[in-house]
Amino acid sequence: MRALLLSASRVGDTPYLVHALPFIDALLKSTERELLFVPYAGVTISWDDYTGKVAEALAPLGITVTGIHSTDDPIMAVRQAKAIAVGGGNTFRLVTELYGQQVLGAIRDKVQGDTPYMGWSAGSNVAGKSVRTTNDMPIVYPPSFDGINLVPFQINPHFTDYVQPGHNGETRSDRLNEFLTLNPQERVVCLPEGTALSLDGNKLTLLGDKGGYLMRFGDTQRIEEGCDLSHWL
Amino acid sequence: MRALLLSASRVGDTPYLVHALPFIDALLKSTERELLFVPYAGVTISWDDYTGKVAEALAPLGITVTGIHSTDDPIMAVRQAKAIAVGGGNTFRLVTELYGQQVLGAIRDKVQGDTPYMGWSAGSNVAGKSVRTTNDMPIVYPPSFDGINLVPFQINPHFTDYVQPGHNGETRSDRLNEFLTLNPQERVVCLPEGTALSLDGNKLTLLGDKGGYLMRFGDTQRIEEGCDLSHWL
């Protein structure tokens, strides 16, 4: 399998997806630059506009983009895709649509057959074992929290250990500790904005110079750019 | 019905539940100072410890506290309660247990029969129509997102419109706008820490000097302390 799981579409105030272009360029072979884009996580942007925005951002790499929602048969579109991308937005909306359109399993099968997958934010979250470590609001009740399971652990995108001054709500670390307390057998890769996971066969690597964290119950380990994480597969 | 729905157990660096004592004192008659406490939202604190912490905080008002988890029959405990409190923590854990112990409906029936209800954070969230506007991480998959429905709208506790510098993840307002975009018929009361809703029969009032917001799709209205919100019932 080949996958690029980006924390976010931006880092700091860089333009949309620009920081990710070198990673995407490395992921897609010249014969794979026809992307099937899944905009289902988009809520406050139309799926047409979302697809157009991604197409514009990826044009410098010679990539063409088709929105899965504009195809007659989403399952067939997945099966025939040269490459698949799942964008960010609301994870609950995304999962609800993936199940509703019955394409979640089709995406897993296709990527296991060596079609490259890329995702950012919600699109990375859903590539993990489940979406139980999303940061998003549960605006709709999905039929399951199970993800595409391209990697056998949880992802926390947009990771930050920032604590808002004077606020008493849980911090990100509090929330992830709650997850691991209730699910002590699970593992979480925390990806700050600007970082990504690169999966290439049996090799898993951290991309991006912000570093990240591997979390298990009672144990948090700092990881740096280029770190080989293959032992977590 | 009588209910006190607190945004949070603290405001700023005040001690646990101290800012809420005057509100709680006003809610509970002298004959109602035996509280059945529901600690199900607690994840990283044991339910015994959580119950003890609440008992200690409420002792100055002459309130005694029993944890529902320490009773032989939770449903019967609800039916016989003089007053019911549901504490904060993780909303998904709370809802999963309320359904698992089959007490959600029993609490609604009991409160509709004029037994006072108080909640904070997750305990306020679940008192609304559903938990689709919680801020919490979905660490466990509940059988439903439906709440106790003591009030016919959504609550967003710990409300803040703070934007973390340099962060590209969604703000609270982004998330609530996504909820209302997908569910344009719904309404949300946003409660900053330190505020609460007081329900007394057909009267609904905002407590606390931080103000709050009423949100509908495309419309956000600022509300102030003492504001009569009965038209939202």
Side-chain angles (χ1 to χ4, degrees):
Chain A
M1 281 195 289
R2 286 176 294 145
L4 171 67
L5 308 179
L6 297 148
S7 170
S9 59
R10 300 175 193 267
V11 53
D13 56 1
T14 58
Y16 193 66
L17 287 174
V18 161
H19 81 282
L21 291 180
F23 304 151
I24 297 169
D25 199 30
L27 175 73
L28 301 180
K29 298 175 187 167
S30 60
T31 54
E32 295 169 340
R33 304 219 161 189
E34 295 170 34
L35 198 60
L36 181 70
F37 177 61
V38 178
Y40 295 154
V43 179
T44 53
I45 184 172
S46 78
W47 291 347
D48 279 349
D49 287 350
Y50 195 177
T51 304
K53 186 175 165 183
V54 172
E56 190 178 340
L58 300 186
L61 297 181
I63 296 170
T64 59
V65 179
T66 302
I68 191 171
H69 65 290
S70 66
T71 66
D72 289 336
D73 182 340
I75 297 173
M76 190 56 69
V78 168
R79 287 185 184 148
Q80 296 178 342
K82 294 276 203 297
I84 297 168
V86 180
N90 182 282
T91 302
F92 295 87
R93 169 71 153 150
L94 170 61
V95 172
T96 300
E97 285 296 322
L98 287 174
Y99 281 101
Q101 301 290 338
Q102 299 182 296
V103 293
L104 191 136
I107 293 174
R108 178 167 45 228
D109 293 346
K110 183 69 174 164
V111 177
Q112 283 176 343
D114 203 36
T115 297
Y117 177 100
M118 52 183 276
W120 55 92
S121 192
S124 291
N125 223 312
V126 78
K129 194 168 169 185
S130 82
V131 299
R132 288 172 295 168
T133 50
T134 177
N135 312 307
D136 295 344
M137 191 169 270
I139 61 175
V140 60
Y141 184 70
S144 169
F145 283 172
D146 291 346
I148 304 173
N149 204 18
L150 301 179
V151 289
F153 48 78
Q154 297 288 133
I155 290 170
N156 183 248
H158 298 280
F159 179 79
T160 171
D161 48 14
Y162 184 81
V163 178
Q164 180 184 334
H167 189 66
N168 290 294
E170 291 85 352
T171 66
R172 186 70 59 81
S173 295
D174 290 341
R175 298 182 193 286
L176 291 168
N177 278 327
E178 286 183 346
F179 172 74
L180 289 168
T181 300
L182 206 60
N183 305 281
Q185 77 289 4
E186 301 291 355
R187 302 171 299 167
V188 186
V189 177
C190 303
L191 296 176
E193 294 181 354
T195 66
L197 290 176
S198 165
L199 176 67
D200 189 359
N202 293 321
K203 189 160 185 202
L204 184 70
T205 314
L206 181 70
L207 306 179
D209 63 5
K210 309 289 185 205
Y213 298 91
L214 301 182
M215 284 186 77
R216 290 174 181 271
F217 179 60
D219 179 52
T220 300
Q221 187 188 340
R222 168 88 187 165
I223 48 176
E224 302 296 342
E225 184 176 15
C227 190
D228 186 343
L229 306 173
S230 307
H231 59 291
W232 266 42
L233 290 174
Chain B
M1 280 194 291
R2 286 176 295 145
L4 172 66
L5 307 179
L6 296 149
S7 170
S9 59
R10 300 175 193 267
V11 54
D13 56 3
T14 58
Y16 192 65
L17 287 174
V18 161
H19 82 281
L21 291 179
F23 305 150
I24 297 170
D25 199 30
L27 175 72
L28 302 180
K29 299 174 187 168
S30 60
T31 54
E32 295 170 338
R33 304 219 162 189
E34 294 170 35
L35 198 61
L36 182 69
F37 177 62
V38 179
Y40 295 155
V43 178
T44 54
I45 184 172
S46 79
W47 292 346
D48 279 349
D49 288 351
Y50 195 177
T51 304
K53 186 176 167 184
V54 171
E56 191 177 340
L58 301 185
L61 297 181
I63 296 169
T64 59
V65 179
T66 302
I68 192 172
H69 66 289
S70 67
T71 66
D72 290 336
D73 183 340
I75 298 173
M76 190 56 68
V78 168
R79 288 186 183 145
Q80 296 178 342
K82 296 276 204 297
I84 297 168
V86 180
N90 183 283
T91 302
F92 296 88
R93 169 69 155 151
L94 170 59
V95 171
T96 301
E97 285 296 320
L98 287 174
Y99 281 101
Q101 302 290 339
Q102 300 182 293
V103 293
L104 192 136
I107 293 174
R108 177 167 46 229
D109 293 346
K110 184 69 175 165
V111 178
Q112 283 175 342
D114 202 36
T115 297
Y117 178 100
M118 53 182 277
W120 55 92
S121 191
S124 292
N125 222 313
V126 79
K129 194 169 168 184
S130 82
V131 299
R132 288 172 295 167
T133 49
T134 177
N135 312 307
D136 295 343
M137 190 170 269
I139 62 176
V140 60
Y141 184 69
S144 169
F145 283 173
D146 290 346
I148 304 173
N149 205 16
L150 301 180
V151 288
F153 49 77
Q154 297 288 131
I155 290 171
N156 182 248
H158 298 280
F159 178 80
T160 172
D161 49 14
Y162 183 82
V163 178
Q164 180 183 335
H167 189 66
N168 290 294
E170 291 85 351
T171 65
R172 185 69 58 82
S173 295
D174 289 341
R175 297 182 193 285
L176 291 168
N177 278 327
E178 286 183 346
F179 171 74
L180 289 169
T181 301
L182 207 60
N183 305 280
Q185 78 288 4
E186 300 291 355
R187 303 171 298 166
V188 186
V189 177
C190 303
L191 295 176
E193 294 181 355
T195 66
L197 290 176
S198 165
L199 176 68
D200 190 358
N202 294 321
K203 188 159 186 202
L204 185 70
T205 314
L206 181 70
L207 305 179
D209 62 5
K210 308 288 184 204
Y213 297 91
L214 301 182
M215 284 186 78
R216 290 174 180 271
F217 179 60
D219 178 52
T220 299
Q221 186 188 339
R222 168 88 186 166
I223 49 175
E224 301 297 342
E225 182 176 15
C227 189
D228 186 343
L229 306 173
S230 307
H231 59 291
W232 266 42
L233 290 175

